[in-house]
Amino acid sequence: MDQRSWAPVWAALGGDPGLCGRVRFAPRTSPDGSGGVLPARLPVRELARSTVAVCALAAAEFGARSAKGGSGTAVPGVGVDDGAVATAFVSERHLRIDGRTPSTFAPLSRFWRTDGGWLRTHANYPHHRARLLYALGVPDDGDDEALTVRVADVLAERRAEEVEEAVYAAGGLAVAVRTPGQWSAHPQGAAVARLPLVGLERLDDAPTPPPLPSPGPRPGSGPCAGLRVLDLTRVIAGPVATRTLALLGADVLRIDSPRLPESADAHADTGFGKRSALLDLASRSGRASFEELLGQAHVVVTGYRPGALDRFGLSAGELAGRRPGVVVAQLSAWGGPGAGPWGGRRGFDSLVQAASGIAVAEGGPDGDPGVLPAQALDHGTGYLLAAAVLRSLTDRRDGGGSRRVRLALARTAHRLLHELEGAREPDEVREPYDPADWLGETDSPLGPLRHAVSPVAYDGGPEGWARPPGRPGGDAPTWG
């Protein structure tokens, strides 16, 4: 594989360029043999390969550095198989829970024709659905089929950009579909283009917290064994990152608010290797429990709307002040505070695809918007986030210091649209891959699961997740 598609990402992570030769690739064709995996007009395959490659290399490097001090341990070779990558990037489609196919997008999460353009909405969560309908002045009678007709009639008479702002003001989620050129000219698109792909920052000179053995059964073997990760993320990108850290042996505890509903189906896809607990950070007891957890955490990963957790004292600086040496990884949709007028807004992969021009680039000949063959911004950013955490942990071994990592779905979209075309590779004549080769069967508290295995692989590891996903909020908010 041409290193131009992934070596710059490794460099953005601060990685040693001499390690690039440790990576080997196994190209595959699509299951029907018609072309490369994850076929699209945009270089999705190259994006997916590159994010998995740097994640696996970061894991191999961290493992080598952690082994007996790591001074003389060679970094093992890394294998990236297109079949594993393509299967994992659509893991939610392969998931079966006790034989059942999970639901993904809700009826009101879709493209809509408006007066002069297209609009994309996201209403998978009940509170987002309610805010969307409120902004449009459509009463919710619970009849999705009838609601879809009424919403379509309302939107057909309104401008997409006007609806975008009205729904945002109501706390909902909707964006106008733009061309790549329109997005580049938009203040937010211009701000995103100026961001680094991976934001890495050293916050202080605090010493590195030592690994901690689990008081109960070890969460798993691997280079991250003994590390404790607080997971405050939702949906796909953040959970993919923490699922990967769990694969590598970290003790990952996901924390959700009892006030916010979460999809049990999404949790079944991204909850491998983790435990899940509920904590109300607005309560005195919930804050006290969180502070106890933070006192022994090595990594905190957040994926809520930028600034939403700051009122609980969970900004990166405050977390580092109370847990010196911690790595704080922050994920946003649009770039975070200070990164343009939308930096602090909520967002999801589908909305970023629509706003950034991806939907137009992947659209049909009739002008209808299209989508990528996977939620590649989510999955790709998730593996990049895990890689950035691992690289920060590696660098911290040498010089200590609390670290902050920042990534954004919109910046990953910018890379897909503007930075990968020159590295696109022709499809190679290979045997079609079978997704079944990268699917596993696991018993769980949710019933038997069929699921994608992780594409992150290096010589000698990892062995796989030590535990299946449980029920959301089904564990105690304690370590071990």
Side-chain angles (χ1 to χ4, degrees):
M1 178 180 174
D2 192 330
Q3 286 194 10
R4 288 179 298 170
S5 68
W6 69 274
V9 184
W10 182 244
L13 291 163
D16 177 1
L19 295 179
C20 290
R22 310 297 293 173
V23 183
R24 59 186 183 275
F25 293 88
R28 307 272 178 171
T29 64
S30 58
D32 63 3
S34 62
V37 302
L38 300 172
R41 294 191 181 95
L42 295 171
V44 177
R45 174 182 59 179
E46 285 73 15
L47 176 75
R49 280 175 171 173
S50 64
T51 58
V52 172
V54 296
C55 185
L57 185 55
E61 178 195 34
F62 180 70
R65 294 293 302 277
S66 301
K68 297 180 180 179
S71 58
T73 305
V75 174
V78 166
V80 180
D81 194 300
D82 276 358
V85 172
T87 304
F89 264 60
V90 290
S91 60
E92 62 275 9
R93 299 181 201 169
H94 290 296
L95 181 67
R96 298 293 181 271
I97 305 173
D98 200 10
R100 177 179 62 85
T101 302
S103 60
T104 51
F105 284 96
L108 299 184
S109 297
R110 48 167 283 187
F111 290 108
W112 308 84
R113 288 185 182 274
T114 69
D115 181 14
W118 287 89
L119 183 83
R120 177 83 195 208
T121 56
H122 194 286
N124 285 2
Y125 288 108
H127 55 296
H128 291 156
R129 170 192 171 107
R131 293 167 185 171
L132 171 66
L133 293 174
Y134 172 80
L136 299 179
V138 177
D140 188 353
D141 60 6
D143 184 340
D144 287 337
E145 186 173 348
L147 274 175
T148 300
V149 173
R150 290 200 292 274
V151 169
D153 289 342
V154 169
L155 291 176
E157 298 180 354
R158 297 177 66 174
R159 304 290 295 182
E161 292 81 1
E162 179 263 323
V163 175
E164 176 182 84
E165 292 304 317
V167 173
Y168 167 69
L173 291 149
V175 299
V177 174
R178 293 173 170 84
T179 67
Q182 288 170 332
W183 180 243
S184 294
H186 189 280
Q188 188 58 41
V192 167
R194 293 191 293 268
L195 293 174
L197 178 64
V198 181
L200 300 172
E201 182 181 358
R202 179 170 175 161
L203 299 174
D204 56 38
D205 296 321
T208 300
L212 295 169
S214 173
R218 292 289 292 274
S221 60
C224 291
L227 295 180
R228 293 178 173 175
V229 178
L230 282 174
D231 177 3
L232 284 73
T233 68
R234 293 163 66 81
V235 195
I236 297 179
V240 163
T242 52
R243 181 182 68 183
T244 303
L245 297 175
L247 175 82
L248 300 169
D251 185 358
V252 178
L253 178 61
R254 173 165 165 166
I255 300 295
D256 282 283
S257 168
R259 303 169 186 264
L260 288 176
E262 179 56 307
S263 166
D265 289 351
H267 186 79
D269 180 41
T270 58
F272 282 87
K274 311 177 193 178
R275 290 176 299 112
S276 169
L278 299 178
L279 273 183
D280 185 358
L281 297 181
S283 71
R284 182 176 299 178
S285 61
R287 288 290 299 278
S289 295
F290 182 84
E291 291 305 314
E292 290 183 14
L293 294 169
L294 176 63
Q296 294 189 346
H298 301 88
V299 179
V300 179
V301 186
T302 66
Y304 286 76
R305 175 180 55 83
L309 298 176
D310 289 2
R311 69 184 187 276
F312 301 121
L314 303 186
S315 68
E318 290 175 296
L319 288 168
R322 301 199 303 280
R323 176 56 167 163
V326 72
V327 174
V328 180
Q330 298 174 316
L331 173 71
S332 68
W334 306 105
W342 290 13
R345 291 191 179 187
R346 299 176 180 87
F348 293 92
D349 180 304
S350 59
L351 299 179
V352 177
Q353 286 192 41
S356 66
I358 290 173
V360 171
E362 295 293 335
D366 55 0
D368 290 357
V371 297
L372 298 176
Q375 293 192 71
L377 306 181
D378 262 332
H379 286 274
T381 306
Y383 290 112
L384 278 179
L385 188 63
V389 168
L390 291 163
R391 287 255 54 260
S392 293
L393 291 169
T394 297
D395 287 345
R396 196 183 64 177
R397 291 181 60 86
D398 292 333
S402 306
R403 309 290 174 121
R404 175 163 63 177
V405 169
R406 287 185 285 184
L407 284 95
L409 301 182
R411 183 57 181 84
T412 304
H414 180 82
R415 176 162 178 76
L416 176 63
L417 283 161
H418 302 290
E419 298 175 359
L420 277 172
E421 191 59 40
R424 193 161 192 168
E425 299 179 18
D427 294 334
E428 301 185 35
V429 179
R430 301 253 178 183
E431 290 296 317
Y433 90 95
D434 184 351
D437 293 340
W438 287 276
L439 296 176
E441 300 281 345
T442 300
D443 290 328
S444 80
L446 308 173
L449 300 179
R450 189 195 78 176
H451 59 91
V453 302
S454 177
V456 176
Y458 53 87
D459 295 344
E463 298 177 0
W465 291 288
R467 58 187 298 149
R471 300 190 182 280
D475 297 294
T478 58
W479 292 116

